Amino acid sequence: MSGGVDSSVAALLATEQGYRTVGVTMRLTDGGDGDINDAMSVCVRLGIEHYVFDMREEFDREVMKRFADTYMDGETPNPCIICNKYIKFGALLEKAGSLGCDYIVTGHYAKVKYDSGSGRWLLAKAADSSKDQSYFLYMLSQEQLSHILLPVGELSKPEVRELAETNGFVTSRKHDSQDICFIPDGDYVGFLERYRGIAFPCGNFLDLSGNIIGSHKGAIRYTIGQRKGLGMGFNKPMYVCRKDMNANTVTLGDNADLYSRRVTACDVNMIGTSRIDRPIRVMAKVRYTQREEPAVLEQTGEDEITLIFDNPQRAVAAGQAVVCYDGDCVICGGRIVRGE
């Protein structure tokens, strides 16, 4: 229970469905007492026990360090995906056993169901497509999926808020968090400078031919596809196409230079099937905010998938996730290595 409305209603629904429910809030960073108090208040209303697990050490090791390492390598990590795998449905699932619990119940907008034909647990989109979070859960294993309940996946956000208000939860009108929990001000570079104790030096902007065309404030400060905030003017719109963290260079080009049809990913997790034996048609997206696009998916290695999109995809960023769907169900996903 994060102290938000979604997990509050998830606890309500689990209790109403007859489960012996306990509330757990994870302390992941320093502070956050307000959220903990809100979660506790909801548990009091529900008449269930509430525990606070100090998981700052695990969170620092598994999420913050991975985030920093990936960012320093010039990639664009998604810490929520990492947290779901290693903390919320990893370390927390292990701790659940100490409370005698068989399932983790969360407020994620997605569905988990068992397919008797394939003998596999499936991850499907939420009923409310505008809130669907299946993209963030693609890394979950079959074992993890078998111990997860996602009751709000059947509801719309207005229905969730109405249930919270009807039951007198202090979280009923609480705003959804849009920020990374350990970078609430959105200043990634400031976080990295504090976390690693270093400052990032200035470097050179390059054109696609490798010619120096200006200076920048450190390659770490720029993202693929970025146009605004480059710190200097050019005679035409310029976009970040590549970064070289070792050389501390940022390569700029035209918007047309940002498009890729072929996307390769590693760290693959299969959900809908154990292996892809032949090329198949899928719908896929290379970032959470993007709509799904048609593509041909092929497994090109034991831990590699390749997608050929019907339409070129803009600003494909290494480190982000590509997630593939068959209808409402997630087939697989992986960490993007490159777009071509």
Side-chain angles (χ1 to χ4, degrees), residues 34 57 91 98 100 111 136 157 175 262 271 277 293 300 310:
E57 182 178 337
S98 66
K111 300 178 185 178
F136 293 110
K157 188 72 176 195
H175 292 298
R262 182 185 182 94
I271 293 181
D277 295 320
E293 295 283 348
T300 47
D310 292 8

Side-chain angles (χ1 to χ4, degrees), residues 202-216:
C202 297
N204 293 321
F205 281 127
L206 308 178
D207 64 18
L208 291 172
S209 298
N211 301 309
I212 297 175
I213 57 174
S215 60
H216 61 67

